[in-house]
Amino acid sequence: MISEKIVPPCLPGQWSSSYISYWQPMLKDDQITSGICWFDYEQNRCRIDGLFNPWSEEKTGHRLWMSEIVTASEGKTKKSKIAYYREPSEGVTEYEAVVLEDDSEACHEVLLTQDVLLQYQASYAGSQNLLGRETEAWTFTKPGKGPSTYYFVKGTNQLIRMVTGDPEVHASVRDFPNFTTHAIAGEIFSGRV
């Protein structure tokens, strides 16, 4: 009997989700952050807005919110940033928001390619229940990056979790609790929302 080979899914042509980013295990200086992302592979562009993670407030003196818009079809990325400085006062901590200069640089690929599992020859790593959903796991290694495991809702191309690194040592985890394939408005990629 010939067993059917499981083929890894490609991400949808357009998708978006809020996300929460954290570490496993959480070490003393690790942060939990969140944001939102949009991917439009048809137009070869993406946008991610959120508090940067990892980012050392102790070393830099501030937290960093960033909106990164990658327009790979035009070979560029634009980063808009706001620094949040803690301002201790009587018994409470307040934050001062300081808008930083935008950065622009060359970029010819979106931050997460549609065929990432095929590109890095991912292998099936079983199923488990995550965020109340049954999932299928795919594992692969990017050159120079270490292992990654991506979890998709079973039988779909809906990404629910990305794990980069070894969770037994220290791994970056990003959950996508409200993954959607609704059409993305063009103005999302034109600047700050």
Side-chain angles (χ1 to χ4, degrees):
M1 182 170 169
I2 298 171
S3 64
E4 188 177 317
K5 184 179 177 187
I6 300 175
V7 178
C10 284
L11 286 156
Q14 284 191 357
W15 66 275
S16 60
S17 182
S18 58
Y19 67 83
I20 182 164
S21 177
Y22 56 99
W23 299 88
Q24 192 174 326
M26 291 290 287
L27 302 180
K28 177 180 172 280
D29 295 325
D30 289 340
Q31 303 285 331
I32 295 176
T33 61
S34 62
I36 188 166
C37 60
W38 300 264
F39 284 83
D40 180 352
Y41 297 115
E42 294 158 8
Q43 299 293 319
N44 202 14
R45 59 192 180 180
C46 67
R47 177 177 178 168
I48 300 177
D49 289 3
L51 283 173
F52 203 77
N53 192 0
W55 184 266
S56 174
E57 185 177 0
E58 188 175 292
K59 290 179 184 171
T60 62
H62 61 86
R63 303 295 309 275
L64 181 69
W65 175 90
M66 185 164 68
S67 175
E68 182 171 9
I69 300 174
V70 175
T71 312
S73 57
E74 297 172 13
K76 64 181 183 181
T77 183
K78 178 185 172 191
K79 297 176 184 176
S80 301
K81 300 176 284 189
I82 300 174
Y84 286 88
Y85 293 89
R86 285 184 200 250
E87 298 292 334
S89 58
E90 295 177 29
V92 296
T93 300
E94 295 179 7
Y95 278 91
E96 177 189 358
V98 177
V99 176
L100 305 176
E101 277 191 43
D102 291 348
D103 288 339
S104 292
E105 55 191 58
C107 185
H108 300 285
E109 188 173 72
V110 292
L111 301 173
L112 174 61
T113 59
Q114 185 176 18
D115 64 350
V116 63
L117 298 180
L118 295 169
Q119 187 179 359
Y120 295 105
Q121 300 166 1
S123 58
Y124 182 68
S127 64
Q128 69 182 78
N129 202 294
L130 292 176
L131 305 177
R133 309 289 300 272
E134 193 173 348
T135 68
E136 296 171 328
W138 296 88
T139 186
F140 61 93
T141 301
K142 282 186 182 181
K145 295 279 187 182
S148 292
T149 304
Y150 287 11
Y151 298 84
F152 289 77
V153 174
K154 186 173 184 171
T156 75
N157 59 355
Q158 295 182 12
L159 183 63
I160 198 166
R161 176 174 288 170
M162 294 169 40
V163 179
T164 305
D166 183 350
E168 298 296 320
V169 180
H170 198 221
S172 167
V173 181
R174 187 163 286 179
D175 286 345
F176 301 94
N178 62 347
F179 190 100
T180 181
T181 56
H182 295 308
I184 302 169
E187 56 265 19
I188 290 292
F189 302 100
S190 65
R192 292 189 176 130
V193 173

